[in-house]
Amino acid sequence: MSTDLVTEYLQQLVAFIGANPSLAGFICFFVAMGEALFLVGLFFPSTVVLVGAGTLIGLGNLEFWPIFIWTTAGAIAGDAISYWVGYLFKDQLRRNWPLNRYPQLVQRGEDFFAKHGGKSIFIGRFVPGVKSVVPGIAGMADMNFMRFTFFNVMSAFAWAAVHLVPGVLAGSALFALGEIDTRLAIILGALCLAVFLAVVMIRWVILIILPIFGGTHGLMVRWFSRRQDSVSQWIARTYDPDNPQSVGMLLSALLLLITLPVFFWFTQAIAPERTMARADLAIGTFLEAARNPTRDQIMIGLTMMGDSVVTVIVAVAVGLYLFSRKAWRRATGFVIALASSALFVVIIKSLVGRERPIDLYTGASAFSFPSSHTTVTTVLIGVLAVLLVHEKSGRFKAAVYSSVAVYAILMGFSRIYLGAHWLSDVLAGLLFGACIVAAFAFIFGHIHNEKVGRGALAGISLAALLSVSTFHIYYGFDNAVRMYQPRSAITIMDYSQWYSYGWRNIPAKRINIVGDFEEPLPLQWSGSPEEIEAYLSARGWKPAPKWDVQSATGYLKGETPAGELPPVPHTNAGRLPILTMIYQSDDDHRYVFWLWETKFRLKGTDNLTSPLYVGAILEEQAVRPFGEFSGLQSDDDQSAAINPFSGLEGATIKRRVNGNTVILAGPKP
């Protein structure tokens, strides 16, 4: 099973925990136990689920102590089972599958146990790659069970706290931010999640998967060694299992084979009217509304660290250092990697010809896809990371590559936030940058005779980056502020244009944050939100309950009326609703009305403009799983059974090509 698929399942499990809090304890128990089980834990990363559960605790959706106790109990049970497996079967485990295929894994566990003794049970709990074998080794070594249990219980408490508490703190911070700025909380939550998943995946692959895979590719190498052609013989020599770099090189080849096709998939996925293009627009609009001067200054400073003047000078400094050390092949490869990626970006920009969200540059740089900032930054720091971690320990590699991933993600985010690129531009840049880095690692990973002073290389790179960035930001910041100033894409039309044909330019359905079409938009409103609220209030509608700890607990009870459950915020083309109201027909049925501002403004006879809004009604039905919880289900594709808008002032009914109707209403100037 691929790591991406495992992560997807774990994310779904976190969502299931949030929707089923009564089962959260059992889930955390089995997840914690699974990671501690002998060998099974190598393929069972629980961090995503447990930190996600901690975040739900911080958000007020779960109780801390029950989850903490269940998680601790699961960790204790998993280690205890592993101990007894080792105690009962002892050396039989070595001779049978799967341990007979991974003798180095057992050896690592035995070395760790021999070095730390009983403390290895406590320490090993936190060490990837050995934590799921050390308890079994303890059993094989006939360690006293009571002594084992002491270390097992103590380490389980600490391990549960380490996994849950960061999530609790993050959830509490996001909840506090949500009370102040819902949009900012969503943005920070998504950014933290992206960084967290990237770091977890990197550490899992480097510290767990690579050591295991190290004993399995010998079959492939032996197959090549039996072939007589020169290419097969070169592969057999280069990727011999005795070469400690061979596993990393093969992983680089796999990464290359994955990232390059996905990058080219993006080139067709961004075509107009495709889901990705709509998602780009929605996310860009969502971030645009979150901008303020303080955040802008932070993001502008970050994005200027990826400007060409900075990357070129850093690259020159690194290249000169490598050539001065006579590391000819790696220096040449470094130059080729950067030059080819920069040239490739220019070629793709010219071929695709996608417009930026805002006008920034001229020539090929005026185009958007892919992001050159993200691509070149990823290649520069990624290749430097390959040079720095060559022949280093797994922990050092995980730390360096995690730092590189975080820096590249933040650089890409700054480009989206400032409106310089669409999300897909940045994702494509990250993919192609990773592709070039993987190619560099694959080609130069077997070189042993070129010694690079890693400390000096890191110092030169960091000094060049910080000094040039500081100088560049100091002298160019004011100009960058003017360049990246917010530019809302507002379209102005007069009332006659709106009534005659302009209404057709507004999508017939809501566009969610990932670009999919959802429920129909039967209302276009030219008045104020207060006027439509007063109109609906007179007809029995009420303001929707706001999200807080008290209202959220309504989902945990089986008898909560539908009208008392806070609705999930719906975005339309990246905009949060201006107004949300509810009409409850009975305890189990309700209608939810949302009103969103559009990018259109209507110009009156006095030349003053006012926003144009769109509204949607969605019918929701309460569901009672097991009679203990409350939930809501709806059909986004169906129009609501009621439509209270026909009595609005100046209501005019228009009919679309597909037969759906839309009401144009509101006071005229």
Side-chain angles (χ1 to χ4, degrees):
M1 181 180 294
S2 71
T3 56
D4 288 341
L5 191 58
V6 171
T7 302
E8 179 182 348
Y9 285 145
L10 293 177
Q11 290 173 326
Q12 293 175 358
L13 189 55
V14 172
F16 181 80
I17 290 174
N20 301 274
S22 66
L23 302 177
F26 294 102
I27 294 172
C28 290
F29 174 87
F30 286 111
V31 167
M33 183 178 68
E35 188 174 22
L37 287 176
F38 192 60
L39 288 183
V40 174
L42 292 170
F43 307 94
F44 210 96
S46 64
T47 305
V48 174
V49 175
L50 296 181
V51 174
T55 303
L56 293 174
I57 293 171
L59 290 171
N61 294 340
L62 298 175
E63 293 292 332
F64 175 77
W65 286 112
I67 299 299
F68 179 78
I69 293 171
W70 278 110
T71 303
T72 303
I76 294 172
D79 266 17
I81 293 172
S82 299
Y83 171 88
W84 285 110
V85 168
Y87 183 84
L88 294 175
F89 295 98
K90 290 189 170 56
D91 287 342
Q92 295 180 35
L93 295 173
R94 301 174 184 273
R95 297 190 294 270
N96 297 326
W97 184 90
L99 284 186
N100 61 350
R101 301 292 299 275
Y102 307 110
Q104 76 286 353
L105 187 61
V106 178
Q107 189 62 48
R108 287 180 62 192
E110 290 180 333
D111 293 344
F112 192 85
F113 184 77
K115 180 179 180 180
H116 298 287
K119 296 188 296 295
S120 63
I121 307 303
F122 191 101
I123 301 171
R125 175 94 65 180
F126 301 90
V127 180
V130 300
K131 59 185 175 182
S132 64
V133 296
V134 167
I137 299 297
M140 295 169 67
D142 290 327
M143 181 181 181
N144 179 271
F145 181 67
M146 295 304 296
R147 185 165 179 251
F148 168 84
T149 300
F150 172 78
F151 287 110
N152 180 18
V153 173
M154 296 301 295
S155 65
F157 275 102
W159 182 85
V162 166
H163 281 72
L164 290 175
V165 171
V168 174
L169 296 176
S172 300
L174 289 176
F175 181 80
L177 283 172
E179 293 294 300
I180 303 170
D181 188 339
T182 302
R183 191 182 300 270
L184 178 60
I186 294 173
I187 292 171
L188 290 179
L191 186 59
C192 290
L193 178 63
V195 169
F196 173 73
L197 291 178
V199 171
V200 168
M201 292 300 296
I202 289 171
R203 290 181 59 82
W204 191 43
V205 169
I206 292 177
L207 298 180
I208 296 179
I209 299 301
L210 283 185
I212 296 175
F213 185 66
T216 63
H217 76 283
L219 292 175
M220 181 191 71
V221 172
R222 285 194 292 273
W223 183 85
F224 279 107
S225 65
R226 290 194 294 268
R227 300 174 64 86
Q228 299 304 313
D229 60 279
S230 57
V231 174
S232 297
Q233 290 299 310
W234 177 84
I235 293 175
R237 290 193 304 272
T238 303
Y239 301 105
D240 192 300
D242 293 333
N243 177 5
Q245 304 302 317
S246 61
V247 179
M249 294 167 65
L250 291 174
L251 179 65
S252 300
L254 178 62
L255 181 63
L256 179 64
L257 294 174
I258 293 173
T259 54
L260 194 58
V262 177
F263 170 81
F264 284 107
W265 174 84
F266 267 100
T267 61
Q268 56 84 28
I270 61 172
E273 302 305 322
R274 298 292 295 270
T275 301
M276 191 72 225
R278 294 193 297 269
D280 283 337
L281 181 61
I283 293 171
T285 303
F286 188 86
L287 290 174
E288 178 188 351
R291 294 184 62 171
N292 67 24
T294 301
R295 296 169 202 159
D296 286 2
Q297 290 179 1
I298 296 173
M299 290 296 107
I300 290 173
L302 177 59
T303 208
M304 291 181 73
M305 295 178 69
D307 285 349
S308 58
V309 63
V310 176
T311 54
V312 167
I313 293 177
V314 173
V316 169
V318 172
L320 290 176
Y321 171 77
L322 292 175
F323 280 117
S324 71
R325 293 295 298 261
K326 298 182 180 180
W328 306 116
R329 286 179 287 180
R330 290 180 182 177
T332 304
F334 175 78
V335 172
I336 291 175
L338 278 173
S340 61
S341 60
L343 178 62
F344 183 81
V345 167
V346 172
I347 293 173
I348 295 297
K349 281 179 180 287
S350 302
L351 291 175
V352 176
R354 189 186 196 191
E355 293 185 358
R356 290 180 182 268
I358 58 176
D359 293 331
L360 288 177
Y361 310 109
T362 58
S365 297
F367 299 122
S368 178
F369 183 89
S371 167
S372 57
H373 266 71
T374 308
T375 304
V376 175
T377 296
T378 302
V379 173
L380 175 61
I381 62 176
V383 170
L384 280 172
V386 173
L387 295 174
L388 291 174
V389 305
H390 187 65
E391 297 179 346
K392 286 289 187 178
S393 68
R395 293 184 187 178
F396 185 79
K397 290 179 180 179
V400 172
Y401 282 127
S402 296
S403 301
V404 166
V406 171
Y407 185 80
I409 290 172
L410 292 177
M411 179 62 68
F413 176 76
S414 73
R415 304 303 288 167
I416 307 170
Y417 174 89
L418 294 171
H421 281 286
W422 307 106
L423 172 64
S424 55
D425 302 335
V426 167
L427 293 178
L430 289 171
L431 284 168
F432 186 75
C435 175
I436 295 295
V437 173
F440 182 89
F442 178 75
I443 294 172
F444 296 99
H446 67 285
I447 298 176
H448 301 282
N449 60 345
E450 291 182 345
K451 298 299 181 181
V452 176
R454 295 180 180 86
L457 177 61
I460 290 172
S461 305
L462 188 60
L465 176 63
L466 294 179
S467 59
V468 177
S469 296
T470 301
F471 182 86
H472 179 52
I473 293 172
Y474 181 80
Y475 286 99
F477 189 78
D478 291 340
N479 183 58
V481 170
R482 290 189 293 271
M483 178 187 299
Y484 294 114
Q485 63 182 345
R487 308 172 204 178
S488 298
I490 297 296
T491 301
I492 297 176
M493 57 182 170
D494 58 40
Y495 281 81
S496 61
Q497 292 173 327
W498 173 44
Y499 274 101
S500 59
Y501 61 85
W503 62 272
R504 293 191 181 91
N505 297 328
I506 300 173
K509 291 187 174 183
R510 179 176 71 89
I511 300 173
N512 66 17
I513 200 68
V514 296
D516 290 329
F517 287 112
E518 299 289 351
E519 63 270 14
L521 298 172
L523 174 67
Q524 296 183 16
W525 173 248
S526 64
S528 67
E530 292 75 18
E531 290 173 303
I532 194 72
E533 181 179 10
Y535 174 84
L536 291 175
S537 296
R539 286 156 179 78
W541 292 72
K542 298 179 180 179
K546 295 186 179 298
W547 278 94
D548 54 35
V549 175
Q550 182 176 358
S551 64
T553 56
Y555 285 96
L556 310 183
K557 304 173 183 177
E559 69 279 359
T560 307
E564 296 181 10
L565 297 173
V568 176
H570 282 38
T571 61
N572 180 40
R575 293 177 171 85
L576 287 170
I578 301 294
L579 176 66
T580 306
M581 301 191 73
I582 286 177
Y583 179 83
Q584 182 171 324
S585 54
D586 57 53
D587 283 350
D588 289 337
H589 291 82
R590 74 179 187 185
Y591 296 89
V592 183
F593 168 74
W594 288 279
L595 188 73
W596 299 275
E597 187 175 343
T598 69
K599 68 175 183 177
F600 295 93
R601 297 184 72 89
L602 298 176
K603 183 173 66 175
T605 55
D606 54 3
N607 288 328
L608 296 178
T609 62
S610 59
L612 178 63
Y613 302 91
V614 292
I617 293 181
L618 185 65
E619 182 178 359
E620 295 182 333
Q621 179 177 355
V623 292
R624 316 291 183 186
F626 310 110
E628 298 292 335
F629 312 105
S630 294
L632 295 164
Q633 64 180 13
S634 61
D635 187 352
D636 294 342
D637 295 327
Q638 296 295 323
S639 298
I642 64 173
N643 189 337
F645 305 129
S646 58
L648 284 167
E649 179 181 354
T652 300
I653 298 178
K654 299 288 187 178
R655 188 172 298 276
R656 297 187 183 273
V657 176
N658 60 6
N660 289 342
T661 59
V662 58
I663 294 177
L664 281 55
K668 298 180 180 179

